Amino acid sequence: MIVILFRSRLTDAAGEDYRAMDEEIFALARQADGFEAVKSFRAEDGERLTIVWWRDTESLARWRNDPRHRAAQAAGRARWYEYYDMEVAEVVRESHFRRSAAEADSADTGPPREA
């Protein structure tokens, strides 16, 4: 699995045209073969972090070269981004845990009680 970490800050010019392009590009990405997931976060100082998971380097390369995605990148550099930093990483290990709803309801979260 490949993970993209995309940190950015928008310019004041990033208005409705940016939001429309952002929605379009994310919808297009979600339909792309090899797309796994995306999550976005915004810090108090306005910096944004978007994390995108791709199945493999081949599917990421197809997405990187998608003509509409390329056009959005060019518009972003020309108008919408004050800066961005992107890191591409390969996942070398995964670990998962999920508590079931029933377990969460019955879990005692306090310290042990003496009888």
Side-chain angles (χ1 to χ4, degrees):
M1 182 164 318
I2 304 298
V3 178
I4 307 301
L5 303 170
F6 187 80
R7 293 175 46 206
S8 65
R9 185 177 308 277
L10 296 174
T11 66
D12 292 337
E16 189 53 43
D17 59 340
Y18 169 79
R19 282 185 281 288
M21 177 65 80
D22 189 52
E23 286 180 22
E24 177 188 343
I25 290 302
F26 275 113
L28 195 62
R30 284 182 175 93
Q31 296 171 7
D33 180 44
F35 172 86
E36 298 288 332
V38 63
K39 290 223 177 200
S40 295
F41 306 91
R42 184 174 168 185
E44 288 181 19
D45 67 1
E47 184 172 88
R48 300 154 11 116
L49 171 64
T50 300
I51 308 169
V52 188
W53 290 266
W54 290 91
R55 180 182 57 229
D56 51 35
T57 56
E58 294 80 15
S59 58
L60 174 58
R62 283 190 303 275
W63 172 245
R64 190 186 77 201
N65 294 316
D66 179 272
R68 191 64 182 138
H69 182 219
R70 287 285 193 188
Q73 290 172 328
R77 285 189 294 273
R79 297 192 303 264
W80 300 320
Y81 288 112
E82 182 179 316
Y83 68 83
Y84 68 79
D85 297 305
M86 183 176 62
E87 297 170 297
V88 179
E90 186 170 0
V91 175
V92 296
R93 182 179 172 283
E94 290 185 51
S95 179
H96 305 276
F97 170 81
R98 291 191 179 46
R99 183 177 310 277
S100 73
E103 289 173 321
D105 289 342
S106 67
D108 181 10
T109 57
R113 297 185 191 129
E114 292 185 29

